[in-house]
Amino acid sequence: MGRKTILVINPNSNEAVTRIVDESVAPLRFVDGPSIECITLREGPFGIESQVHAEQVVLPLARIAETRTDAAAFVIACYADPGIDAMRSVAAVPVFGSQESAILTGLARGDRLGVIAAGPGSIKRHRRYLRRLGLLDRIASERPVNMSVDEIATAGHSFERLVAVGRALIDDGADAIVLGCAGMARYRPSLEQTLGVPVIEPTQAAVAMALAAARV
Amino acid sequence: MGRKTILVINPNSNEAVTRIVDESVAPLRFVDGPSIECITLREGPFGIESQVHAEQVVLPLARIAETRTDAAAFVIACYADPGIDAMRSVAAVPVFGSQESAILTGLARGDRLGVIAAGPGSIKRHRRYLRRLGLLDRIASERPVNMSVDEIATAGHSFERLVAVGRALIDDGADAIVLGCAGMARYRPSLEQTLGVPVIEPTQAAVAMALAAARV
Amino acid sequence: MGRKTILVINPNSNEAVTRIVDESVAPLRFVDGPSIECITLREGPFGIESQVHAEQVVLPLARIAETRTDAAAFVIACYADPGIDAMRSVAAVPVFGSQESAILTGLARGDRLGVIAAGPGSIKRHRRYLRRLGLLDRIASERPVNMSVDEIATAGHSFERLVAVGRALIDDGADAIVLGCAGMARYRPSLEQTLGVPVIEPTQAAVAMALAAARV
Amino acid sequence: MGRKTILVINPNSNEAVTRIVDESVAPLRFVDGPSIECITLREGPFGIESQVHAEQVVLPLARIAETRTDAAAFVIACYADPGIDAMRSVAAVPVFGSQESAILTGLARGDRLGVIAAGPGSIKRHRRYLRRLGLLDRIASERPVNMSVDEIATAGHSFERLVAVGRALIDDGADAIVLGCAGMARYRPSLEQTLGVPVIEPTQAAVAMALAAARV
Amino acid sequence: MGRKTILVINPNSNEAVTRIVDESVAPLRFVDGPSIECITLREGPFGIESQVHAEQVVLPLARIAETRTDAAAFVIACYADPGIDAMRSVAAVPVFGSQESAILTGLARGDRLGVIAAGPGSIKRHRRYLRRLGLLDRIASERPVNMSVDEIATAGHSFERLVAVGRALIDDGADAIVLGCAGMARYRPSLEQTLGVPVIEPTQAAVAMALAAARV
Amino acid sequence: MGRKTILVINPNSNEAVTRIVDESVAPLRFVDGPSIECITLREGPFGIESQVHAEQVVLPLARIAETRTDAAAFVIACYADPGIDAMRSVAAVPVFGSQESAILTGLARGDRLGVIAAGPGSIKRHRRYLRRLGLLDRIASERPVNMSVDEIATAGHSFERLVAVGRALIDDGADAIVLGCAGMARYRPSLEQTLGVPVIEPTQAAVAMALAAARV
């Protein structure tokens, strides 16, 4: 019997995002641990920026959950957790969403969470999802950086903006911060150091849960 | 720089329990991962079976959190999560409770959780704690096996009883089960197979969260 | 300017269901009111009995919401409210779901609602949806008749079974009942009379809300 | 058998308000639909501006609910929903309150609602009522225009003020607006167009629910 | 300056009930404490057994709250708390309801409360009121003795029935009991002793709160 | 049989605080009422200003609850309610916490409460405690005066600062105020008069509940 595989799926077709995800989960790769394979959903849109984009990837994700029977766990590497219900309904193994895992992990690190969103549009969708999870009462607030995913990942002033939003969330009562977009992953350690509160990166949170599920 | 250490503390003075805990977290030890050290709280009572027992270990646990500055994370290996506030108030690193981690981990595996308690006395304390966490709405129910921790760990009919209570919890609406006592750890895999729903072992859940926190 | 149209979409491809829906909304057709057009989703599965079935109709429904620009309002004639987010994200006019409308309408008729589901499988999905709506606190309980949609619509003993489940819901504390499946529509008036509490038919509830939205 | 009657009762004795109500429900009158009769409660105070005013109309309203046995449904045309419990306890047919119907209808149009109140005094009463309904979690906020009912209905700057308060509510997170006072009815369509979100008029919402109840 | 007066109003016209109330609050009379005056509402029905009965006493109660300016606090000696909003809106001093005070007092004695109601009819009204208070989450359950107020106060088997219902409430998870009807007052001490959990008598709870408000 | 004793324990070792407490409960002493004895916990820290301080007094408080069998009720005269679970688990009589009693008492005086904290640090701890009590929904907000307990009790500008914070809480929606620190006790009457809303002093609230429990 070979090593178990955690399959991390970037549901958009942007390979650069897959590379960011791959890098961010590297600390969870162990010599004798499960393999963590990051793939790009070819059928996905270049970015998931609307409800329809999110819906477009549901059936392709479900198909992967059904056919990749070698996987010991699946991770959806997109904060919107597209296709989580469909994947769970067909997968024989656990499926972890990024937002769900990040919020649950964050709740072990702070009493109330602040979430940094890319833009204002996603905040309403996240809120509805958090209400569905029954976890809204422990969210202090969610605020946007008002930047595109690309900008966040590349612009020189991204860190400064993330710090400003993080501080506003702490003023709102947050004592731990969740990064609401994959493009923010690389700023996690420096943001945590600057803000002085735990900062959670969603794909890492989801892969960590998958790791445990794959081992025990 | 050597390997990081996750310090798992059994707050009662029963070494046999520490051995069970040590065994249950073994799958989360990796060649190049953090060391997972399980220790017994000498000052602890032989078993934590009352509110006063739980209070007795708070300051000793806080002292460990303050003095073991080599630890990258602490885990309280007792479902009651005694001393969690005190430890967090003095520790420079993350502190994970068993109950808190188990419930949060379980919420990624089922919509509503069922909890198997040792005896009826602890159910009221757990309920108050879950309300404090704001997570009561996703608990289907909690039911006791009505056995002592010792009995659970050693009696021939334990598994049968755990299965019966697990089935009752599923009838109550639970689609994932949390084991509410360290003595139940060894039954996790067979219980999961028999019941057909995810079964969460709290110390494993807490160590998995600690592992992620220690790595990323 | 001609009459406005309320477009009611049966998202499964079973024409018999569309006819039931068409019949059930007939009382809301007025000489000088909006036209109520009931259509069948050709691309839909014969019945929506799984999460994947529900996902399959999302994009086709969104396409209708985008292209049928003559409609003054859309109604999703399936209790699972498949595609409601996608339709709303692209439609220029209001979109009403059956479950959402039925629950909201029921809350004006009773303090706590009981829901009659076709089978047990859908109850967990409904619960998650009701939590997302923030309305779970006013649901007394949901119970299944344990019959297929076909059976419900045709079997001789359907009414008797619906009455039995309705009475159990009233014992659970419900003072109004919601029919959780389109096949039950024809039993609404007799069920209401027999049970002595208001009984809500979801497509009627949704079309009534659409009617108001189309007129004011 | 003649046409059914929906009896809409303005519980204050101001005939001008009854005329506004009558006008606002006109779009819900259909040639072959129920008759919608709007009456003034003679025993009512000229305006319902205090808790005692609200209590004064309870028994007169209950008497109407008991004696107007020709009605197929009753509507209380006052946002405070005075007498709703008393009317329901004696009426043989459904009774709809304006606030309750408006909030429930609004919840099918937006995830979180903003309410425009006449003055600050009523906001606390509304909040208590919304908590009783278990619907507070989906209210973004309620803000006053700080005008008397008369002023709202007649002053030249009313619309401008309503727009300003509506925008503040949207900033608070509301994606649909409820008008918290009958005097605002005539501004509904232009307010909806200017604000770009659904705007709900309570008496219309209540009559629409009554219409459905009277027909199905 | 003479002694302050706490005015306790029995809102029904049954003098026997006023005497029971007077007796039950006797332990809260102190030589140098406020006078506790118990009066009967002449305008009240002989018993408050319906919504309309409750509404009938609202304005008379408000009139007392307005005119008895010698009172330092008012207590409504009826578990339904009729007229509490109206009295508070006109009184210059604090107004305490029996149900509200009993539940709040009970929450300092048990984590979850059980309520013994006279009949099943009142349970729905109480539930709505408790939701309005935002306190439903800490109610384990409410169960009826299915006896009239008269029967409760006089029948030989009352105590036995109260014990049986009390035990059922404890099985439901209650760790303190609230008596939901004035007629049960005399059984409080023996019930508390037999059941082994705190038993709260509502008028006593309300008068105790009034006592504190009148003194500090 | 002599008079019953209510034992009020100041869990810090500052005798000046005990004197303030003793003075504040004086209005609840009656010639023929229970004796109210205020004692200082010798083992306590000079002030309870951290989580560890709070934990240090738990076992000493539990010992008092166990050994002072002459007491008819215990009151913890510290807003943090340290040791409340431990004391309740061993005491044969009721134990009242200051915060718990103050909030419950306040809820009979206002629909939503505002709390004045000494410093910002305690607000998060209070919030967690209020969530545990299931009462967060009725808290409008909590704001700090940003003064030490000593300063509050002695500084010339304390009253002015309390008034400013009280007004901010009223703007936040509070209609009753709870004083979140024993040092504020002497300002209660003047604060209530200046702010025009009820102001609750926690030790008084707890002793009042103890008084009732000791008498009935």
Side-chain angles (χ1 to χ4, degrees), chain A residues 24 26-34 88 94-96 100 104-105 107-109 133-135 138 188 204 208-209 211-213 215-216, chain B residues 24 26-34 88 94-96 100 104-105 107-109 133-135 138 188 204 208-209 211-213 215-216:
Chain A
S24 94
L28 296 167
R29 290 191 171 107
F30 299 104
V31 168
D32 52 344
R88 284 179 172 163
V95 176
F96 295 93
E100 186 182 73
L104 292 171
T105 297
L107 292 181
R109 303 297 301 282
L133 294 177
L135 301 175
R138 289 192 56 196
R188 200 204 67 76
Q204 288 177 344
M209 284 194 161
L211 181 67
R215 289 290 286 198
V216 300
Chain B
S24 94
L28 296 166
R29 289 190 172 108
F30 299 104
V31 168
D32 53 343
R88 284 179 173 164
V95 177
F96 295 93
E100 186 182 72
L104 293 171
T105 298
L107 292 181
R109 303 297 300 283
L133 295 177
L135 302 174
R138 290 193 54 197
R188 200 203 68 76
Q204 288 177 343
M209 284 195 162
L211 181 68
R215 288 290 286 198
V216 301

Side-chain angles (χ1 to χ4, degrees), chain C residues 27 31-32 133 138 215-216, chain D residues 27 31-32 133 138 188 215:
Chain C
V31 167
D32 52 343
L133 295 176
R138 290 193 55 197
R215 287 291 285 199
V216 300
Chain D
V31 168
D32 52 343
L133 295 177
R138 290 194 53 198
R188 201 204 67 77
R215 287 292 286 198

Side-chain angles (χ1 to χ4, degrees), chain B residues 79 115-123 126 142-147 152 162 165 169 178-181 184:
Chain B
Y79 195 71
V115 182
I116 308 183
S122 50
I123 293 181
H126 297 168
E142 180 159 350
R143 289 174 177 268
V145 275
N146 291 317
M147 297 170 78
I152 292 169
L162 289 167
V165 173
L169 292 169
V178 169
L179 301 178
C181 156
M184 302 171 185

Side-chain angles (χ1 to χ4, degrees), chain C residues 44-98:
Chain C
F46 189 71
I48 294 187
E49 282 154 20
S50 71
Q51 185 69 34
V52 167
H53 283 160
E55 307 287 7
Q56 285 169 346
V57 303
V58 174
L59 293 176
L61 285 171
R63 220 165 300 129
I64 291 175
E66 226 172 352
T67 55
R68 282 293 303 261
T69 51
D70 60 312
F74 295 99
V75 166
I76 307 164
C78 168
Y79 195 71
D81 287 353
I84 194 166
D85 293 334
M87 290 183 76
R88 283 178 174 165
S89 75
V90 298
V93 296
V95 177
F96 296 93
S98 287

